[in-house]
Amino acid sequence: MSCVLDVANVSVGFRQKGGVLPLVKNASLRLSAGQCLGILGESGSGKSMLCKAIAGLLDENFTVEGSIRFEGLQLLRQKPEKLRRLRGQKIGIVLQNPMSCFDPLYRIGEQMEETLAEHYNAGRRKIYTKCIEILELMRIRQAINVLAQYPHQLSGGMLQRVMIGLAVALDPVLIIADEPTTAIDSISQHSIMQEFVRIKEAGQVAMIFVSHDLGVLSRISDDVMVMHGGRVMEQGRAQDIFANAQDVYTRHLIEQHTAVMKRFCAAISPAV
Amino acid sequence: MKRYIIMRLLATVPLLLSISLLCFLFINLIPSDPAEVALRIRQTPIITEDAILQVRQELGLDQPFLVRYAQWLWSCIQLDFGVSYTNPARTVLGEIGRCLPTTLSLAGFSLLYVLILSLPIGFLSAVYKDSWFDRIMRGVVFTTTAMPAYWVGLLLIWFVSIKLDLLPTSGYGGLEHLLLPAFTVALTYISTYIRLIRNNMLENMREDYVLYAQARGLKQRNILVRHILKNSLQSCITAIGMSIPQLIAGTIVVENVFAWPGIGKLCITAIFNRDYPVIQAYVLMIGVLFVFFNLFFDILQYAADPRLRQGKSHA
């Protein structure tokens, strides 16, 4: 399979008085179409920073070194305008906190149309139809009504679906999902995960899925990368890592997760 | 929406009553006899006890406080603010009606200055934060905020009118008479709004919706104007609503510096002459302006913000 994304020895730092504060050190990863890499780590581990670096979303206060090749294109040497054209089209991005990711002053439809109009050369009518298609694909009922709503009128799970819908709308090659299930309730979480699994199983896109939740990651990842304090602690096939972690920190995470799951199982069925 | 407006309108009634009571009370606490002052202004040669008593009766000052308040309030509601103590030939309403348009033209022109200057400067300062432009503007903002209006007015007269001989020093007339006093009134507001817009924009830039707008690949210009600026102005609406009556009231000093024949000048003259009805009417009018502009802009904000307008349908 052809390599979609090849990240080699990427370090991210934050410029501040008296030097550069390192946030990510020497991270490398490779992704092909249909493959999903899960990045596991607690908050502050640098996983979001790595994603933002790949998407070109870091401003001039940050330094990015190394190499990020996307379909053979060296992203770190591209102009911001070129990166902007990639984002939203070839690179779809889903963020956490769906409730605050939409501009409160515009209707959902206006924000979707605005995004499509930026990358998709079509008339208003066609863009509107496309928006309805996206919502229906995301199994949102009453799509026309939803388009006329303001963000505060929709639930977090619903807004997250809109975000996922927009991310896949223009047939992206890469999807970066940064903690997409963190800020929503567990029932929505379940159905959101179904959408991601569906997208992955279609086999068209490469996916980076960031989470601090082992359970979520184990459902979707082929490969897993564990980050802690800006360093990559462990990297490999998901089954290998979950079954037989080499790194102390990874083992600690897995043990804690298993302990919580055991307590949870004991609580819902005390007889077992 | 309709319910909200009705509730807000009803809530102004007790507020207006308290404003009128305080305004009447404070002016009656002034420790000099308006009857005596009135006699002096009318150039009565010898002021006797009898004459003072007569004028008191004539002006209704012999009644108890609450009776006078009730009478005054009742006639105010009918838009009758009485006659000037110093010049019984003129009604207060007529005086205010004569002076208000000149003040409004001054305040309106100041508002124009404020909008035209602070919006682009605030926007550019935020977009080019920490650039030379932003640094200079920050310096200007600090300096102008610290300078009192009457001093700025005098400096402008000295520099623009006397040294450069470009504009008239004072008085009422065409556009050239309006430029300097309006700028003087506007200056503090320009600084305030530059700072407000700049800080609101910088705050909004850190919001998630901006990051997501970038993630969707929107053009930076669209993000700045359509999203960040619009959200920043949202919180300026109430501030502008409060600034308009402040501009009208704030002309009082500048009108005296530039000899601008507006209500500010009328009020200062009335204060010197202890002309109670005029002072009361002025203070009451400014109070009412504050209440109604505040109300109007709250309703406007309510209409402009979908979160306030429609409430939460999905909690």
Side-chain angles (χ1 to χ4, degrees), chain B residues 118 140-141 144-145 186-196:
Chain B
S118 53
V140 171
V141 163
T144 53
T145 316
L187 201 57
T188 29
Y189 294 92
I190 295 173
S191 308
T192 313
Y193 279 100
I194 289 177
R195 224 171 35 198
L196 190 67

Side-chain angles (χ1 to χ4, degrees), chain A residues 3-7 54 66-79 81-87 90-91:
Chain A
C3 179
V4 171
L5 183 71
D6 184 0
V7 175
I54 294 171
S67 150
I68 301 174
R69 283 187 174 278
F70 173 70
E71 293 191 310
L73 192 73
Q74 178 55 261
L75 292 189
L76 290 183
R77 269 189 238 115
Q78 299 304 316
K79 292 210 170 74
E81 176 63 15
K82 175 84 184 168
L83 292 175
R84 177 185 76 72
R85 282 175 197 280
L86 286 177
R87 284 196 301 267
K90 285 201 160 182
I91 302 179

Side-chain angles (χ1 to χ4, degrees), chain B residues 284-295:
Chain B
L284 186 68
M285 185 188 80
I286 298 292
V288 169
L289 280 181
F290 267 99
V291 171
F292 279 104
F293 270 100
N294 190 16
L295 175 73

Side-chain angles (χ1 to χ4, degrees), chain A residues 87 100 103 114 118 153, chain B residues 208 214 219 226-227 314:
Chain A
R87 284 196 301 267
S100 57
D103 187 334
E114 164 188 58
E118 200 71 70
Q153 294 171 305
Chain B
D208 283 344
Q214 286 166 339
K219 287 197 190 76
R226 265 176 66 92
H227 296 285
H314 300 266

Side-chain angles (χ1 to χ4, degrees), chain A residues 20-40:
Chain A
V20 174
L21 178 77
L23 298 173
V24 176
K25 292 166 211 150
N26 274 328
S28 301
L29 59 93
R30 284 172 71 87
L31 263 180
S32 311
Q35 198 188 4
C36 175
L37 170 78
I39 303 183
L40 179 70

Side-chain angles (χ1 to χ4, degrees), chain B residues 114-129 133-134 137 141 190-202 205 229 232-233:
Chain B
V114 174
L115 295 179
I116 289 176
L117 288 174
S118 53
L119 199 67
I121 295 178
F123 179 80
L124 291 175
S125 300
V127 174
Y128 300 105
K129 181 176 176 276
F133 179 79
D134 181 37
M137 278 307 151
V141 163
I190 295 173
S191 308
T192 313
Y193 279 100
I194 289 177
R195 224 171 35 198
L196 190 67
I197 292 173
R198 176 182 181 271
N199 293 351
N200 273 346
M201 284 195 55
L202 290 177
M205 281 177 191
L229 185 64
S232 307
L233 290 183

Side-chain angles (χ1 to χ4, degrees), chain A residues 152-193:
Chain A
H152 71 273
Q153 294 171 305
L154 300 176
S155 66
M158 192 91 105
L159 290 170
Q160 194 61 279
R161 276 166 201 277
V162 175
M163 254 203 242
I164 299 170
L166 271 178
V168 296
L170 297 170
D171 304 317
V173 182
L174 172 68
I175 288 181
I176 300 176
D178 187 0
E179 303 251 14
T181 57
T182 308
I184 49 183
D185 62 273
S186 39
I187 295 170
S188 312
Q189 208 173 8
H190 179 78
S191 58
I192 292 293
M193 280 316 291

Side-chain angles (χ1 to χ4, degrees), chain B residues 106-172:
Chain B
L106 183 59
F109 210 74
S110 307
L111 187 67
L112 211 63
Y113 266 126
V114 174
L115 295 179
I116 289 176
L117 288 174
S118 53
L119 199 67
I121 295 178
F123 179 80
L124 291 175
S125 300
V127 174
Y128 300 105
K129 181 176 176 276
D130 295 328
S131 66
W132 59 267
F133 179 79
D134 181 37
R135 279 160 205 266
I136 290 173
M137 278 307 151
R138 263 193 311 210
V140 171
V141 163
F142 278 123
T143 323
T144 53
T145 316
M147 299 203 296
Y150 62 89
W151 188 49
V152 173
L154 291 175
L155 280 181
L156 284 173
I157 291 177
W158 170 74
F159 187 70
V160 180
S161 305
I162 297 173
K163 284 269 167 191
L164 299 179
D165 199 18
L166 287 176
L167 295 167
T169 52
S170 62
Y172 178 70

